[in-house]
Amino acid sequence: MARVLIVGAGPTGSLCAALLRRELPQRPLRIVLWDKARGAGGRMTTSRSPHNPRCTADLGAQYITLRPAYAQKHQSFYEDLLAHGVLKPLTAPVEGMVMEEGSHNFVTPQGISSIVKHYLTESAGADVFYEHHVTQIYLRGGKWEVCKKTGSPEQFDIVVLTIPVPQILQLQGDIVNKMKNALLSVDALLLGRSYYRGDALYYNERQNLIKESQKQQLESVSYSSRFALGLFYEAGTWIDVPWAAQYITNNPCIRFISIDNKKRNIESSEFGPSVVVHTSVPFGTAHLEWDKEKVQPIILDHLENIMPGLPKPTSIKCQKWRYSQVTKAIPSCPGQMTLHIKPLLVCGGDGFTHSNFDGCIDSAICIVEALKTNL
Ligand code: FAD
């Protein structure tokens, strides 16, 4: 049974797993997902209050926008999520939102990570492991040997990387950074005619790894950076504003505020409200190398100016999004890039399309097509 490793349990990785199950039901594939985080979601993450797990906040993606360009192409994906109650139309007021004519916004009553959890459920039988941080990938005897920060390396027939592109480039081993050194040292051996059969095999395997042109394309991808705060309140707290979310245009730090439960149309006497604050990209870029602990009070000061009298939360979570949204994708947005064919190594994610749910769907479809072609 071929072992397929999908690295990244965000929307692209989880949808890949679900599509592989749906489209290749007859293929005996063992699908394994590894993610370095403690739970599913990626940048579609939902955080819980440490005091009440039912009080949640979406710290990354806020809502899903279906644009007219995708209405037909992705209709079945939206219908499926609506039928399962994962998506509901956004009805709460969002001030300052700019909407393309004919587009529709959706929220996720159970939090944005419920999209990813839905696809993990649909991937029936895929084994999902969290706190599995991939560090190196080697080619060994026609298979990929994948190393993680802790625990033993494991071998896979196929590897799919759905992590942000700069994190692909940070991986060590045969696949990216060490490639030139490996080639140079083997070239030296070949020139000195001191190689034996094992070295020749080593050379043959390595000369087909990532091409320089692909590496250059990967290096051209860029992302914006920002910080997010989640403020969690105790049951019964009332946040008295007429909007559910608001885009802020006149503050040097804050770009977006949402009363997160109100945005998702969830109110209950059993858990308190939550507030999400996103900083602007210039603020995120300027403070990117600062500790979260130092940035959090600055954001809270600005929030106090915008919303004086906001009640005191029971807990706060600060998230640094170093790779927030794609500002420059791989040229011509191919959806995936096949780095190696035998064994197969494919990468995808929003860096290969664009930073929203439709971009992730497109990428997952392209990855699965590449797998079907080369299986
Ligand atoms: P990710 O979601 O980043 O998933 C990649 C996963 O890989 C992560 O879980 C990560 O932990 C894991 N990983 C990384 N490196 C490793 C490693 N070495 N080993 C193991 N695991 C690893 N989109 C919308 O549609 N609507 C919005 O309103 C919206 N707003 C956004 C607001 C913010 C602040 C941010 C940050 C994003 C927003 N987006 C929005 C974009 C959307 O979240 C992304 O496009 C989407 O999450 C990309 O999915 P992905 O699966 O390709 O990557």
Side-chain angles (χ1 to χ4, degrees), residues 211-239:
K211 296 187 195 88
E212 191 55 35
S213 59
Q214 288 182 319
K215 197 169 173 227
Q216 277 171 12
Q217 288 189 15
L218 293 171
E219 281 168 349
S220 72
V221 177
S222 57
Y223 291 73
S224 60
S225 304
R226 60 173 92 233
F227 288 82
L229 281 192
L231 285 70
F232 302 98
Y233 295 86
E234 61 188 15
T237 309
W238 178 245
I239 297 173

Side-chain angles (χ1 to χ4, degrees), residues 92-339:
V94 178
E95 287 186 0
M97 179 192 267
V98 181
M99 269 185 74
E100 185 186 339
E101 207 184 311
S103 62
H104 300 276
N105 286 315
F106 300 96
V107 287
T108 46
Q110 302 308 311
I112 200 84
S113 68
S114 60
I115 296 178
V116 174
K117 289 175 184 159
H118 172 74
Y119 289 132
L120 292 179
T121 308
E122 299 275 295
S123 67
D127 293 319
V128 189
F129 297 93
Y130 299 111
E131 297 181 275
H132 276 44
H133 188 154
V134 173
T135 50
Q136 288 135 294
I137 302 182
Y138 294 97
L139 190 52
R140 297 243 199 271
K143 288 185 189 270
W144 295 113
E145 183 173 275
V146 185
C147 307
K148 44 191 168 7
K149 262 193 182 161
T150 53
S152 318
E154 287 184 35
Q155 291 210 331
F156 295 92
D157 301 283
I158 297 169
V159 172
V160 177
L161 302 171
T162 65
I163 65 183
V165 174
Q167 290 173 327
I168 296 176
L169 290 167
Q170 281 160 25
L171 294 175
Q172 299 292 305
D174 291 338
I175 79 148
V176 182
N177 297 329
K178 291 280 168 68
M179 182 186 61
K180 266 196 176 151
N181 291 341
L183 274 177
L184 282 177
S185 59
V186 175
D187 277 346
L189 277 171
L190 288 171
L191 283 172
R193 296 185 185 282
S194 59
Y195 65 93
Y196 56 96
R197 278 190 65 192
D199 291 320
L201 177 67
Y202 177 84
Y203 182 74
N204 285 339
E205 282 191 337
R206 270 154 189 79
Q207 67 183 350
N208 290 328
L209 287 181
I210 306 174
K211 296 187 195 88
E212 191 55 35
S213 59
Q214 288 182 319
K215 197 169 173 227
Q216 277 171 12
Q217 288 189 15
L218 293 171
E219 281 168 349
S220 72
V221 177
S222 57
Y223 291 73
S224 60
S225 304
R226 60 173 92 233
F227 288 82
L229 281 192
L231 285 70
F232 302 98
Y233 295 86
E234 61 188 15
T237 309
W238 178 245
I239 297 173
D240 191 15
V241 287
W243 41 266
Q246 193 184 37
Y247 286 87
I248 312 288
T249 50
N250 54 359
N251 187 277
C253 168
I254 294 177
R255 174 71 183 114
F256 177 82
I257 305 173
S258 129
I259 316 300
D260 210 52
N261 58 305
K262 195 169 166 185
K263 176 197 80 187
R264 291 190 260 135
N265 269 332
I266 300 287
E267 264 162 297
S268 165
S269 56
E270 288 167 36
F271 55 88
S274 58
V275 170
V276 170
V277 180
H278 282 174
T279 72
S280 66
V281 170
F283 179 90
T285 309
H287 297 82
L288 189 56
E289 303 310 331
W290 287 39
D291 290 340
K292 286 189 293 186
E293 294 67 30
K294 285 196 173 151
V295 177
Q296 179 173 313
I298 302 176
I299 305 172
L300 287 173
D301 273 355
H302 284 280
L303 184 62
E304 170 69 22
N305 287 338
I306 298 169
M307 296 179 74
L310 187 68
K312 197 172 153 29
T314 50
S315 63
I316 301 175
K317 177 163 183 193
C318 183
Q319 171 82 42
K320 184 194 284 188
W321 293 114
R322 183 176 291 275
Y323 307 113
S324 180
Q325 281 128 308
V326 175
T327 47
K328 187 165 176 263
I330 291 270
S332 74
C333 300
Q336 63 85 26
M337 188 183 273
T338 301
L339 298 178

